[in-house]
Amino acid sequence: MGTAKQQPVRQPWVVGVSGASGTPYAASVIRALLAAGEAVDLVVSRAARLTILDETGISFRDAHWREDLAAWLGTGPEGLDDVRYWSAGDFAAGPSSGSYPAKGMLVVPATTGAVAGIALGLSKDLLQRVASVTLKERRPLVVCVREAPLNGVTLKHLVELDAQGAVVLPASPGFYAGGSTVRELVDFVAGRVLDAVGVPHSLYVRWEGELGAAARRPDRGE
């Protein structure tokens, strides 16, 4: 008798969305992960639901998360087959355990409160718990903080996250890639988040040492 072929283990990236302004950054990251063929586990904090509603007009509901996520990303529900959603209050969720085979976590955007909770290991909701698990398992963690200005306490927390092995990546768009629209600047930040964990994408034009090259791109009509 032959042996049954073992199915490959699903290894998702966990995307944590906190309540900071900047939910388009999260949407861009999720779209790019799916385009790269990556599996995604999604955690949306309670505060983030309010921010999504405020910034997009879309209600993000547990019972209708697939339809709401499709509306937020501007895609069809059929493109979300490899997405799992976990409620922010579900401490029994798969990613809350170190034995869950996640590749790592991207917190996009991150509030200063989420930064503090992760740095101090508070685990007050699933987002913070998964981030703590990611650190203790020595998996990649990117914290895309979106706040200005930053006070001394938050700066200390960011230094602590760096010391624990996280990548601290401010939501700070660069203009050398030729971005001039909001979508292009958002995609630049999302692309840098994915660069930090080695996920391929085509979200922005990379610097190649030639001044003005981005402005002469064919899609700019030059």
Side-chain angles (χ1 to χ4, degrees), residues 56-194:
T56 70
I58 296 168
S59 297
F60 200 94
R61 303 159 293 176
D62 283 352
H64 304 280
W65 71 266
R66 189 173 294 274
E67 294 88 344
D68 296 341
L69 179 59
W72 181 28
L73 301 183
T75 62
E78 66 278 359
L80 305 177
D81 291 341
D82 213 358
V83 178
R84 290 181 183 172
Y85 170 72
W86 305 96
S87 173
D90 184 5
F91 283 90
S96 68
S97 170
S99 65
Y100 188 79
K103 288 185 176 180
M105 185 179 190
L106 315 173
V107 184
V108 186
T111 62
T112 55
V115 166
I118 297 168
L120 298 174
L122 298 182
S123 296
K124 74 171 189 176
D125 62 8
L126 182 62
L127 188 153
Q128 293 183 18
R129 168 61 185 169
V130 177
S132 294
V133 168
T134 303
L135 287 173
K136 80 180 183 67
E137 297 295 327
R138 302 296 191 265
R139 295 169 183 162
L141 173 64
V142 180
V143 178
C144 185
V145 61
R146 216 305 305 163
E147 186 59 89
L150 295 171
N151 64 29
V153 172
T154 298
L155 290 171
K156 290 177 181 177
H157 289 153
L158 293 173
V159 170
E160 176 60 27
L161 286 177
D162 177 77
Q164 293 184 40
V167 174
V168 175
L169 198 153
S172 177
F175 294 83
Y176 62 83
S180 58
T181 67
V182 171
R183 176 65 180 270
E184 288 172 327
L185 297 175
V186 165
D187 284 349
F188 178 90
V189 172
R192 296 298 288 148
V193 170
L194 296 179

